[in-house]
Amino acid sequence: MLVDKYPKEIDRILAKFPPERKRAAALPLLYLAQREYGHVSKEAIREVAGILDVDPTQVGGLVGFYSLLHAKPGGKYRLQVCTDLPCALRGAEEFAEELCDNLRIKMGETTEDGLITVEEVKCLAGCDKAPMFQLQAPDGIHYFENQDLDSAMELIEELRQRGDDA
Amino acid sequence: MPEHILLRHRDIPEIADLDVYLKHDGFTAFEDVVKNQTPEQVIETVKTANLRGRGGAGFPAGVKWSFLTPGVFPRYVVANADESEPGTFKDREIMEGNPYQFLEGIAICSYAAQANTAYIYCRGEFWDLAHELEGKIEALTKRGLLGEGLFDTDYSLMIYVYLGAGAYICGEETALLSSMEGEIGHPRLRPPFPAAEGLFAKPTVINNVETLTNLPPIINQGADWYCSIGTEKSTGPKIFSLSGHVERPGNYELPFGTTFRELIFEHGGGIRDGKAIKGILPAGASAPLLPATDEVLDTPMDYESVPKVGSQLGSASIIVLDETVDIAWMAYKTTSFFKHESCGKCAPCREGTYWMYHILNRFQNGNAAPADIDLLNRVALGIQGKCFCALGEFSITPVVAGIEHFRSDFEALTGDGK
């Protein structure tokens, strides 16, 4: 249970908001749940709802709405390539396709070893440094810019080496 | 090269370090207003400087602040750092490169608004940046530049970072408030405006990152100095995010009134690979596409001039398209963005972007009939003027202007429709 494992972190999150407006802590708590479980399961939704004193359906709606919250498990890392217009003008679509081919998956799929899910996402505010992607990792979200197939594969290899230590 | 007013890290690379920022007049403006000025005086200065909101709407910040319901407390200030417009990446550079000037801007705004709590609503993707900012806030608190009883007065201020979770709509200020209150990021009906009932139903000021970052120099150097930069009605410096088919994409801090031609061909180094320019999206995906005629290229980039040639300056994210770009594909890309980002609250946007997307998809798949061009235009115009918020209205603008100026690109992709 999150409340047993992270009491201090939960208190710190709740302290940012007026006590009668606890629900404002929903997104930070959902991030905490996702970090803990890898995705936001129904059980995690119930836990967060319990902390906030709201109905689980109200919390569940958020998971469906916000693109960084995932109701279903994916790879350990989600490699999210921006293919929006400005990035596409600088070769992002070709980059994304090459990357998927190289990993022998289709867009949206996960590599056989469960390490990487490649996804297309909308503008990440890195348009001048395309092709670029963000890596949604267990410890947070990190940007990788001015990428090509070699640099991306190098990163993936590094993540693979890191194994369970990460 | 003149010195930067906002992107100061380009002149002083270590300015993201608090000691360096303090050495370069950091927090003198905030100290000055807290010790020596009333909130009303600060608001008056910002009004005289005619600081206009850099998030896209261009509304005068001082006027916005003066709408706060008198006598109602607590009040909140929210910095809108949900930068998500395709082609916009200026707020991110400010927060990464010159974070303390941004934080001082929040502090000055909070004092003027008589708020003791401010939040930074950072888009969730800026995870690393948000954690950096939290560290900077802690450093300021340790130095006594944030916290209780600032500069031996009774003024207190706390700043918190709030991380969004991936939704373009949350850049719309009322949707941002919904999101911060733990709800789905749906926009709210106005009035009441946030200045009357904002965060937690209290009077709230919401300003864009770039807007707030203008405040320390305005306080330090005065409204007259500020008005000497830019044009008469669009005062001050502006960061133009330049992307697409240019040699040197990036942010360029220039005075309002700089022409598209100067930005693209002098600063941006011209079109990549010696190609010709075809069109310009001056405000990301959210304003009409402009054909790159001489008249357009010689247009000054300010809030008054760009509408005269048929578009908007918005957040000044200039996406440049060269001659190889098929405008039907461009419309497909911008519509795909809006279809994905539509929050679903109102039907014209939710259904309209869906249908525009599906028609545009036919052009991409070679299944479009000639009649689909007018059908697309009709669907787009059917959305116009009926959406709950501006996002839906924005969604049609690249499409309608694309058909108007480059109809032949659409025609070239039509067959018998089978």
Side-chain angles (χ1 to χ4, degrees):
Chain A
M1 291 285 280
L2 296 170
V3 278
D4 304 322
K5 206 164 167 189
Y6 302 103
K8 276 190 192 150
E9 195 160 349
I10 292 170
D11 283 347
R12 205 160 47 235
I13 291 169
L14 293 173
K16 288 184 176 183
F17 311 102
E20 71 280 11
R21 294 286 184 167
K22 240 165 118 172
R23 187 170 164 177
L27 292 183
L29 291 175
L30 284 167
Y31 274 124
L32 179 69
Q34 185 158 278
R35 192 183 76 198
E36 178 66 13
Y37 303 118
H39 69 288
V40 189
S41 62
K42 283 191 176 157
E43 185 47 41
I45 288 170
R46 273 193 291 274
E47 277 191 60
V48 170
I51 299 168
L52 298 173
D53 296 322
V54 297
D55 195 273
T57 52
Q58 291 176 304
V59 176
L62 303 177
V63 181
F65 184 81
Y66 292 100
S67 61
L68 292 173
L69 299 172
H70 306 286
K72 289 190 181 133
K76 182 172 180 185
Y77 299 92
R78 290 174 189 264
L79 196 157
Q80 298 167 321
V81 186
C82 173
T83 56
D84 228 337
L85 178 66
C87 278
L89 292 172
R90 302 186 76 84
E93 291 181 319
E94 293 79 6
F95 166 75
E97 204 181 311
E98 273 182 0
L99 183 63
C100 286
D101 285 351
N102 221 272
L103 294 170
R104 282 182 233 101
I105 54 172
K106 290 202 182 83
M107 183 56 72
E109 290 180 350
T110 304
T111 52
E112 225 166 56
D113 57 2
L115 190 74
I116 305 279
T117 303
V118 180
E119 295 170 321
E120 272 184 301
V121 293
K122 301 301 176 192
C123 189
L124 297 175
C127 326
D128 57 334
K129 300 183 184 74
M132 59 87 60
F133 57 82
Q134 67 182 2
L135 190 74
Q136 215 180 343
D139 69 334
I141 301 164
H142 316 295
Y143 274 32
F144 296 86
E145 301 179 304
N146 294 317
Q147 292 292 302
D148 56 26
L149 184 63
D150 289 343
S151 60
M153 289 308 294
E154 209 173 291
L155 172 73
I156 291 168
E157 195 44 47
E158 196 190 309
L159 297 173
R160 197 164 274 147
Q161 302 283 340
R162 230 186 265 176
D164 289 334
D165 306 337
Chain B
M1 187 72 194
E3 276 197 3
H4 291 85
I5 298 164
L6 306 170
L7 302 175
R8 286 177 78 199
H9 54 286
R10 302 231 182 142
D11 307 315
I12 311 162
E14 307 299 325
I15 204 161
D17 181 279
L18 182 54
D19 287 319
V20 178
Y21 183 64
L22 293 177
K23 230 177 273 169
H24 289 89
D25 299 328
F27 279 81
T28 53
F30 181 48
E31 182 169 357
D32 178 34
V33 297
V34 172
K35 277 183 169 168
N36 309 318
Q37 299 190 33
T38 63
E40 292 74 21
Q41 281 174 302
V42 181
I43 294 175
E44 215 35 57
T45 305
V46 175
K47 274 188 189 170
T48 310
N50 192 26
L51 171 62
R52 297 177 65 174
R54 303 297 203 254
F59 193 80
V63 178
K64 196 175 190 179
W65 303 354
S66 64
F67 291 154
L68 285 163
T69 309
V72 180
F73 298 95
R75 292 170 172 180
Y76 296 105
V77 165
V78 180
N80 185 342
D82 190 58
E83 182 167 60
S84 308
E85 180 65 41
T88 312
F89 42 89
K90 63 189 177 65
D91 296 339
R92 189 181 149 212
E93 182 173 347
I94 292 174
M95 292 188 288
E96 284 176 352
N98 191 11
Y100 285 111
Q101 186 172 326
F102 162 56
L103 294 169
E104 186 178 3
I106 297 176
I108 294 167
C109 175
S110 301
Y111 179 75
Q114 295 175 263
N116 301 112
T117 307
Y119 295 95
I120 302 168
Y121 186 98
C122 242
R123 64 178 294 183
E125 291 83 351
F126 291 170
W127 178 283
D128 284 331
L129 179 53
H131 288 85
E132 289 272 315
L133 284 173
E134 280 183 336
K136 310 271 180 219
I137 291 166
E138 208 180 304
L140 288 172
T141 312
K142 277 191 186 144
R143 293 287 179 103
L145 296 165
L146 289 177
E148 308 271 324
L150 295 167
F151 311 113
D152 299 317
T153 69
D154 58 5
Y155 183 65
S156 303
L157 177 64
M158 285 303 297
I159 302 179
Y160 300 106
V161 179
Y162 191 93
L163 207 53
Y168 169 73
I169 186 64
C170 293
E172 197 280 338
E173 61 179 17
T174 62
L176 184 155
L177 295 174
S178 299
S179 178
M180 270 200 68
E181 293 178 3
E183 293 170 18
I184 285 174
H186 280 163
R188 300 171 176 179
L189 199 62
R190 292 178 294 191
F193 285 89
E197 278 184 45
L199 185 63
F200 308 135
K202 299 296 181 189
T204 301
V205 167
I206 305 162
N207 276 134
N208 168 263
V209 172
E210 185 186 354
T211 314
L212 294 163
T213 307
N214 274 274
L215 292 171
I218 288 175
I219 298 298
N220 278 331
Q221 300 183 65
D224 289 343
W225 162 79
Y226 194 77
C227 290
S228 72
I229 304 161
T231 68
E232 192 194 336
K233 288 183 177 164
S234 299
T235 56
K238 178 79 191 87
I239 303 174
F240 298 94
S241 294
L242 181 64
S243 67
H245 288 144
V246 288
E247 282 287 352
R248 292 192 295 272
N251 287 316
Y252 294 92
E253 180 184 322
L254 300 164
F256 272 118
T258 304
T259 62
F260 285 111
R261 193 186 297 279
E262 184 185 328
L263 173 71
I264 296 168
F265 289 93
E266 282 180 37
H267 304 286
I271 307 305
R272 216 168 56 164
D273 303 332
K275 296 258 183 358
I277 183 169
K278 181 169 184 175
I280 300 169
L281 285 161
S286 290
L289 166 72
L290 291 170
T293 60
D294 281 338
E295 189 201 0
V296 166
L297 286 170
D298 289 324
T299 300
M301 295 183 290
D302 58 55
Y303 295 117
E304 288 69 44
S305 303
V306 181
K308 285 183 192 152
V309 289
S311 194
Q312 296 290 331
L313 186 62
S315 56
S317 31
I318 286 88
I319 307 174
V320 175
L321 311 171
D322 77 12
E323 57 187 328
T324 66
V325 176
D326 182 273
I327 300 304
W329 172 79
M330 179 219 73
Y332 167 77
K333 292 299 284 185
T334 61
T335 303
S336 150
F337 172 79
F338 283 111
K339 172 185 163 281
H340 182 265
E341 297 296 350
S342 177
C343 80
K345 177 166 178 144
C346 75
C349 175
R350 183 185 65 233
E351 303 300 315
T353 53
Y354 174 90
W355 283 108
M356 284 201 299
Y357 175 78
H358 278 275
I359 299 167
L360 282 159
N361 206 12
R362 290 214 283 268
F363 286 87
Q364 294 307 302
N365 295 338
N367 299 326
D372 280 338
I373 303 172
D374 288 332
L375 176 64
L376 175 62
N377 210 35
R378 263 206 317 281
V379 172
L381 296 176
I383 297 170
Q384 193 172 36
K386 299 181 188 70
C387 297
F388 190 86
C389 83
L391 182 147
E393 304 293 333
F394 292 156
S395 72
I396 68 160
T397 56
V399 177
V400 173
I403 296 173
E404 184 191 337
H405 298 299
F406 297 99
R407 194 180 174 97
S408 59
D409 281 16
F410 291 83
E411 284 168 348
L413 296 175
T414 57
D416 58 8
K418 282 177 190 160

